[in-house]
Amino acid sequence: NTPIVTKYLSANEKDWGLTVDTGKLKFAYETVGAGVDFEVNAPSMGGVVELDKWYHGAFVLDRKDVKVYLDGTEVAAATIPTETPNTDVNVAIGAVVYRNNYYQGLIDEVAVINAVLSQEDISAIMNDGLQQALSVSRAGKLTVTWGSIKEKD
């Protein structure tokens, strides 16, 4: 099980993780004492990752609904039995520290976003990068409009 981004402190304190397990992208979460994994391995949906190739992996968690994306395409969706735990565990990039399990490779542009993103949002981030996809335009904002009006006086 190769970690990409996880929120695991110990075997008993886990929130969620995006990992690669036997060549398949996987979202996993665990509540104390009862682990539940959701794997992206349905042959018709894709989700298989190969060595020495760049991929864009993402998941969106909306309370109990989770969607997993690989290269902008939804490859798994499920409703999990309970909401994921919300602990104070730090997010780790490329590691499950308590297991000494570390990603061997390169990871670029990791973000944890406190919003439910659409497939279009995921694709925009994949195609344009985080900075461009998440930028906020000043055009049409009250302060900019007011500043333009004041300049005309």
Side-chain angles (χ1 to χ4, degrees):
N1 202 349
T2 305
I4 297 170
V5 60
T6 62
K7 197 172 178 201
Y8 299 160
L9 178 63
S10 68
N12 293 322
E13 283 188 81
K14 298 180 183 178
D15 277 5
W16 49 259
L18 186 65
T19 65
V20 175
D21 189 9
T22 61
K24 297 173 187 78
L25 191 63
K26 176 174 88 169
F27 167 82
Y29 91 103
E30 185 169 334
T31 56
V32 176
V36 179
D37 290 340
F38 292 93
E39 293 186 19
V40 178
N41 65 3
S44 63
M45 295 182 81
V48 176
V49 295
E50 301 169 12
L51 293 175
D52 300 320
K53 196 171 173 189
W54 279 100
Y55 293 94
H56 181 270
F59 73 90
V60 174
L61 182 60
D62 184 8
R63 298 190 186 271
K64 293 169 61 173
D65 295 320
V66 63
K67 293 181 180 181
V68 181
Y69 298 89
L70 183 63
D71 290 336
T73 301
E74 183 181 311
V75 292
T79 299
I80 54 182
T82 62
E83 288 187 29
T84 58
N86 187 11
T87 66
D88 292 334
V89 174
N90 291 329
V91 172
I93 299 170
V96 177
V97 178
Y98 81 92
R99 284 193 210 151
N100 290 322
N101 184 5
Y102 300 96
Y103 182 81
Q104 302 294 313
L106 300 173
I107 297 174
D108 186 32
E109 290 195 338
V110 174
V112 177
I113 300 168
N114 190 18
V116 177
L117 302 179
S118 67
Q119 186 164 0
E120 292 77 25
D121 296 329
I122 298 294
S123 292
I125 291 169
M126 181 187 77
N127 292 322
D128 303 330
L130 285 167
Q131 186 174 359
Q132 180 67 28
L134 300 178
S135 66
V136 177
S137 173
R138 297 181 302 154
K141 302 293 188 227
L142 178 61
T143 54
V144 174
T145 304
W146 180 249
S148 297
I149 292 170
K150 291 297 285 177
E151 275 183 6
K152 293 177 183 177
D153 286 343

